[in-house]
Amino acid sequence: MPYRAPTSEFQFIFDNIVGLEQTRATEKFSDATSDVIEAILAEAGKLSDDVLAPLNRNGDLEPATLENGVVRCSSGFDAGYAAIAEGGWIGSSASEEFGGMGLPFSVTTAVNDMMSGACLALQLNPLLSQGQIEALEHHASDEIKALYLPKLISGEWSGTMNLTEPSAGSDVGALSSKAVPNGDGTYAITGQKIFISWGDNDFTENVCHLVLARLPDAAPGTRGISLFMVPKLIPDENGKPGVANTLKVVSLEHKTGLHGSPTAMMDFDGAKGWIVGAENGGMKAMFTMMNNARLGVAVEGIGVAEAAFQKALEYANERKQGRTAVEGGNGTIVDHADVRRMLATMKSQIFAARSIALSCAVAIDMANATKDAEWRDRAAFLTPIAKAYGTDVGINVSELGVQVHGGMGYVEETGAGQFSRDVRVTAIYEGTNGIQAMDLVARKMMDGGDAAYRLLEEIEQNAESARAKFPIMAEAVWSAAETLREATEWLVAQDDLNDRFAGAVPYLRAFALVWGSHAQLMAAVAEGGEGPRTRLARFFVKRLLPEHGALLAHVREGRGDLMAISAEDLAS
């Protein structure tokens, strides 16, 4: 069974879990009716199933290559990209002024999830363009918007972001790339960037690089960074790609997975660029793109998890081995208790992660439509949780997929291993998951925990409403939220950030489990009786949610015993 986009799952979550109807009640998204969204999901599903999914194996077996300075992409990726562009999917949430659809970002997030499950290596390309589009919409001059946005939205040109340098890594403030004014409003950009996803391709007319660099005499650290648009081919007076800029792909990385996505080392040698946003305001502008990308990466993890689960379920329903005493069983390994446990874990984790990601996307839509600070804060708080948990689930589910296959999972021809190799990097993209967790317990709690408490109050209220029909599940969810509240109060009270950072990852994971169990409970309520969603909800709440207790015990230990372990201790 090939990959099939779970369009009905998105519709269910939109209708019953994340409250997409709130966006339709705003003037900004009033045209995004239920019928329109259903039709969009169906069309995106067909594209994912019929066009993109058949390319996934090609990307793994026929990696992108660099030949005499020219990037050659995997077989069929040109046609797949053309289908994405021609369908308008790159600019689905972009401004209609420049050719976009103006759809809610939550709908685009669902589409990105499907495309990631179909072919993650190719989907990365339009995802980067979407992030660049948003950054330009918010920060670029009118001239840059008019020139670049229509081309990026149509897919004629593609976009990248260039942050990381060989000596800087995640410490963006340490970057050394220079931007020197040319005296005509442009700048000469010089420096090297590494890990640039889709740094070049052979199927778009132009590649538009957003590059972080320092102006002369700029302040050290992130305060002295500016953002520049540096195209591969400099547009002429008619806006057509003209002469080649002085930049090049030095090499492509030899990666564990995602072989179809060319990850480049880029060299900029006095390349002509145009400033985007204010001088020394590069981080603000780039974070617009990065926050978009963090949710995009979250659903990359979830999409691959979906594909890995579908493949594992198909195998488990076909593979006969051993005997089980399951009444009415079909005699295949799906009847074995441990295989059933793995499959239930996979499916229920995907639902939880997807619900968190789409809750975050709806909050982004509502913040954009209403300008309400509480929606903005909700979106900001959920973003690191969605990114880290979504990608952790991608890794865990794809690993379980290999395990369900047994020995055949370790044989490349089955394709199960590719999911695990491809998705692994998503926990590193756009700030490692450890950085996401540190951001959650530090920057996102500068409000004294208010955003967290509002989410916990919502969980507890919904759990109270569900007590009559599902008393055991509702009590477990309510109690878990209360325990999480107490841990949050403890975190907020810590003045030494290392006391927060020591338990940041366990805290984020615990919050995801509690919010995910809340989504599972709401799914059972929506189903209205004993059925597959209720049975999976009960599995998640009874078997996976209890992990939150151990995680929060870790959180409240603070830094003491952890930081007492010296480097010498680790080496002994």
Side-chain angles (χ1 to χ4, degrees):
M1 180 185 74
Y3 171 82
R4 286 290 176 261
T7 53
S8 61
E9 190 79 338
F10 293 112
Q11 199 69 58
F12 179 87
I13 293 173
F14 281 153
D15 292 344
N16 300 287
I17 309 299
V18 301
L20 184 63
E21 71 279 357
Q22 297 169 95
T23 66
R24 292 194 287 269
T26 67
E27 182 179 355
K28 183 177 180 66
F29 299 119
S30 58
D31 291 337
T33 64
S34 182
D35 289 346
V36 167
I37 291 172
E38 185 176 355
I40 287 169
L41 293 177
E43 286 303 309
K46 290 177 185 176
L47 173 67
S48 298
D49 296 349
D50 301 336
V51 179
L52 302 184
L55 301 176
N56 194 48
R57 198 67 177 143
N58 292 6
D60 196 48
L61 298 177
E62 303 173 29
T65 58
L66 182 64
E67 299 175 1
N68 299 319
V70 178
V71 170
R72 304 296 184 191
C73 295
S74 303
S75 173
F77 273 32
D78 52 351
Y81 179 84
I84 294 171
E86 290 166 7
W89 300 110
I90 298 171
S92 55
S93 289
S95 169
E96 294 173 279
E97 177 184 358
F98 297 102
M101 294 187 194
L103 289 169
F105 184 55
S106 44
V107 177
T108 296
T109 300
V111 172
N112 286 340
D113 184 324
M114 288 187 268
M115 291 187 181
S116 298
C119 185
L120 177 58
L122 179 56
Q123 187 272 340
L124 272 165
N125 185 300
L127 177 71
L128 288 162
S129 293
Q130 288 171 355
Q132 188 172 114
I133 288 165
E134 185 170 7
L136 295 181
E137 284 181 339
H138 283 84
H139 301 286
S141 66
D142 290 342
E143 292 77 11
I144 288 178
K145 288 180 184 178
L147 174 58
Y148 286 89
L149 284 177
K151 299 292 189 181
L152 289 164
I153 289 169
S154 69
E156 295 170 74
W157 298 357
S158 61
T160 74
M161 60 178 176
N162 290 244
L163 290 78
T164 308
E165 297 186 0
S167 61
S170 295
D171 183 9
V172 179
L175 67 82
S176 59
S177 293
K178 300 296 184 184
V180 178
N182 288 324
D184 60 357
T186 66
Y187 297 80
I189 313 300
T190 300
Q192 278 198 340
K193 301 288 184 177
I194 60 172
F195 302 150
I196 308 308
S197 296
W198 282 98
D200 199 8
N201 68 73
D202 57 2
F203 49 68
T204 63
E205 288 182 353
N206 207 354
V207 181
C208 309
H209 301 284
L210 280 182
V211 183
L212 289 178
R214 293 185 185 282
L215 293 166
D217 303 320
T222 57
R223 293 181 298 114
I225 295 175
S226 300
L227 182 64
F228 301 88
M229 171 60 77
V230 188
K232 173 184 174 181
L233 303 174
I234 300 172
D236 62 20
E237 64 276 8
N238 298 313
K240 301 292 185 182
V243 299
N245 213 340
T246 51
L247 59 88
K248 64 181 179 180
V249 176
V250 177
S251 61
L252 297 182
E253 303 295 346
H254 298 281
K255 299 175 295 185
T256 300
L258 281 182
H259 298 147
S261 169
T263 301
M265 173 182 281
M266 302 293 303
D267 183 74
F268 298 86
D269 184 13
K272 181 176 285 189
W274 288 259
I275 197 164
V276 175
E279 290 187 2
N280 303 318
M283 289 306 294
K284 179 180 179 181
M286 185 58 85
F287 265 111
T288 299
M289 184 174 186
M290 286 183 69
N291 283 330
N292 174 304
R294 282 172 176 167
L295 189 54
V297 170
V299 296
E300 285 180 348
I302 298 163
V304 175
E306 177 70 43
F309 167 72
Q310 289 186 18
K311 190 167 191 65
L313 180 62
E314 177 189 28
Y315 184 80
N317 278 319
E318 293 177 351
R319 173 67 169 166
K320 293 185 177 182
Q321 187 170 356
R323 294 183 177 182
T324 63
V326 176
E327 184 178 349
N330 61 8
T332 64
I333 63 170
V334 75
D335 291 340
H336 291 283
D338 190 56
V339 173
R340 192 77 60 90
R341 175 194 63 82
M342 288 190 284
L343 292 168
T345 298
M346 295 165 80
K347 188 171 180 65
S348 62
Q349 283 185 335
I350 292 168
F351 181 84
R354 188 170 275 146
S355 296
I356 293 169
L358 293 178
S359 292
C360 183
V362 168
I364 291 171
D365 285 331
M366 292 302 294
N368 289 335
T370 67
K371 310 304 179 186
D372 183 274
E374 286 195 8
W375 280 114
R376 180 200 64 208
D377 294 345
R378 180 188 180 99
F381 191 86
L382 284 173
T383 295
I385 299 174
K387 192 274 177 180
Y389 186 65
T391 56
D392 281 347
V393 163
I395 292 167
N396 184 48
V397 167
S398 61
E399 185 181 62
L400 284 173
V402 172
Q403 192 71 14
V404 169
H405 280 78
M408 293 305 296
Y410 206 62
V411 174
E412 280 296 332
E413 283 76 6
T414 66
Q418 182 186 344
F419 297 123
S420 189
R421 289 185 287 102
D422 284 356
V423 80
R424 184 59 186 84
V425 73
T426 61
I428 299 170
Y429 277 160
E430 308 310 330
T432 66
N433 287 358
I435 290 174
Q436 302 301 319
M438 292 166 69
D439 175 57
L440 179 67
V441 301
R443 186 182 301 274
K444 298 304 191 293
M445 289 190 177
M446 291 174 65
D447 62 356
D450 286 349
Y453 298 141
R454 283 193 291 270
L455 287 167
L456 293 171
E457 182 65 25
E458 181 179 330
I459 293 170
E460 291 182 355
Q461 287 178 357
N462 284 330
E464 288 289 357
S465 299
R467 280 188 188 275
K469 192 160 189 65
F470 300 106
I472 296 174
M473 275 200 291
E475 173 59 27
V477 172
W478 189 94
S479 296
E482 194 61 22
T483 305
L484 184 56
R485 182 191 300 277
E486 293 168 359
T488 304
E489 291 169 349
W490 183 90
L491 274 176
V492 170
Q494 305 311 304
D495 294 326
D496 188 324
L497 283 180
N498 271 335
D499 280 318
R500 301 189 191 189
F501 292 158
V505 167
Y507 177 81
L508 185 151
R509 178 78 179 192
F511 212 112
L513 286 173
V514 174
W515 187 259
S517 69
H518 165 244
Q520 296 283 1
L521 180 59
M522 293 176 70
V525 170
E527 189 172 53
E530 192 67 23
R533 293 191 182 279
T534 300
R535 289 189 285 274
L536 277 167
R538 192 174 291 118
F539 172 88
F540 190 95
V541 171
K542 293 179 70 174
R543 296 175 184 262
L544 302 186
L545 175 60
E547 295 174 16
H548 87 284
L551 292 165
L552 294 178
H554 187 156
V555 171
R556 298 186 71 156
E557 284 300 314
R559 74 187 190 283
D561 59 345
L562 176 65
M563 302 309 289
I565 301 171
S566 68
E568 290 76 16
D569 292 339
L570 296 173
S572 63

